[in-house]
Amino acid sequence: MMRILRMMKPNDEMKLIISKWLSSGAARIIIKSEIGIERTLGVKPNNTDFVFLTEGAMDIRRTRDDLVFCTALAPYIMSGTDHPESEAYFYGEIRAHSVAYRIKKETALNLVEKFNLFKQLWIVEKYKSQAIWRRDANLNGASVKVAIGELITVLSMLPPEFRKSISVYKFLQERTKYSKSTIMRVVNHYRDNGQLDIKNGILIEWIPKEKG
């Protein structure tokens, strides 16, 4: 199985920027899901706001077909489009048990300038752009078996509370164009090979390297 290309998420830079936005009092909360309340909120980027996540997770989906590019864990900053008439290529779907805020882009950038955080913001934006490219690099051109294996690896690296909230099959269906029968066939291959343990649809254990 090929090695998946990984990146270090700039958590420190995101935390620093978010802390300045929150302390300014200019950010307004848009969702706060309490335990036991299963709801999500779709957020479309625009040219006037930043949306940022302080708790929980957000699925980044492609607008034209709702394909999930990635699941972003807090802290996370989703920036909007750069032009009023441009169509957003993606949107965020904030998952249950999350806390997210919205802040006007002009205010946010003024605070970035005030605290000299343009380098940190550039690192954040660069990371997000490269993450999309690397996601495609990991999957495009790979065999179905390898691509599904890489996505199972991604799922296995997410926090336990997230893994318990979604079945392996749904996770794969949301992130690929493969049919249910194809996904089932490859998943069963890994299970039969002793690499994958699933209980009630939930990932229990994943061994990426084939035995033997």
Side-chain angles (χ1 to χ4, degrees):
M1 183 174 292
M2 71 179 185
R3 294 175 61 87
I4 191 167
L5 298 172
R6 307 198 188 284
M7 299 176 60
M8 289 295 296
K9 179 185 170 190
N11 279 320
D12 291 342
E13 286 82 2
M14 289 191 184
K15 287 179 180 178
L16 180 58
I17 294 169
I18 287 173
S19 70
K20 299 303 182 184
W21 289 349
L22 287 175
S23 63
S24 73
R28 58 186 178 88
I29 195 165
I30 58 175
I31 185 172
K32 183 177 182 181
S33 296
E34 304 294 342
I35 294 176
I37 300 178
E38 296 291 340
R39 67 186 178 117
T40 60
L41 176 68
V43 180
K44 292 184 178 180
N46 57 54
N47 68 306
T48 62
D49 297 323
F50 283 100
V51 171
F52 59 94
L53 196 67
T54 58
E55 297 178 30
M58 176 192 298
D59 288 333
I60 308 300
R61 293 181 177 269
R62 193 162 62 189
T63 301
R64 64 182 174 87
D65 56 10
D66 298 322
L67 190 79
V68 175
F69 271 130
C70 67
T71 296
L73 305 177
Y76 188 77
I77 298 170
M78 185 177 78
S79 56
T81 55
D82 294 326
H83 191 275
E85 297 180 0
S86 64
E87 182 178 353
Y89 184 61
F90 62 90
Y91 70 95
E93 186 176 78
I94 303 170
R95 299 179 63 86
H97 311 153
S98 300
V99 179
Y101 294 79
R102 187 186 296 275
I103 186 171
K104 290 295 183 184
K105 182 174 286 187
E106 182 179 2
T107 302
L109 293 178
N110 286 340
L111 290 166
V112 168
E113 182 178 16
K114 177 181 177 180
F115 294 103
N116 193 26
L117 298 176
F118 279 111
K119 180 180 179 180
Q120 286 80 0
L121 185 60
W122 177 80
I123 290 172
V124 169
E125 294 301 319
K126 180 181 178 183
Y127 161 79
K128 291 188 294 182
S129 296
Q130 290 182 339
I132 293 175
W133 176 84
R134 293 202 177 210
R135 184 266 183 197
D136 288 342
N138 285 329
L139 301 183
N140 290 348
S143 68
V144 174
K145 178 182 169 185
V146 169
I148 288 179
E150 296 299 349
L151 286 172
I152 297 173
T153 298
V154 170
L155 176 60
S156 71
M157 297 175 67
L158 292 171
E161 60 270 20
F162 180 89
R163 297 200 304 271
K164 293 177 183 177
S165 72
I166 188 169
S167 74
V168 172
Y169 305 101
K170 183 178 180 181
F171 185 87
L172 295 172
Q173 288 167 8
E174 289 184 332
R175 288 159 176 78
T176 70
K177 291 297 186 180
Y178 303 139
S179 66
K180 291 182 180 179
S181 60
T182 296
I183 291 173
M184 186 73 72
R185 173 175 55 81
V186 176
V187 167
N188 286 338
H189 163 79
Y190 286 127
R191 295 182 76 172
D192 293 342
N193 197 50
Q195 296 174 250
L196 180 63
D197 185 12
I198 297 175
K199 185 175 182 180
N200 297 324
I202 304 303
L203 177 64
I204 303 300
E205 184 180 20
W206 167 239
I207 304 171
K209 190 174 182 179
E210 291 194 22
K211 294 182 177 180

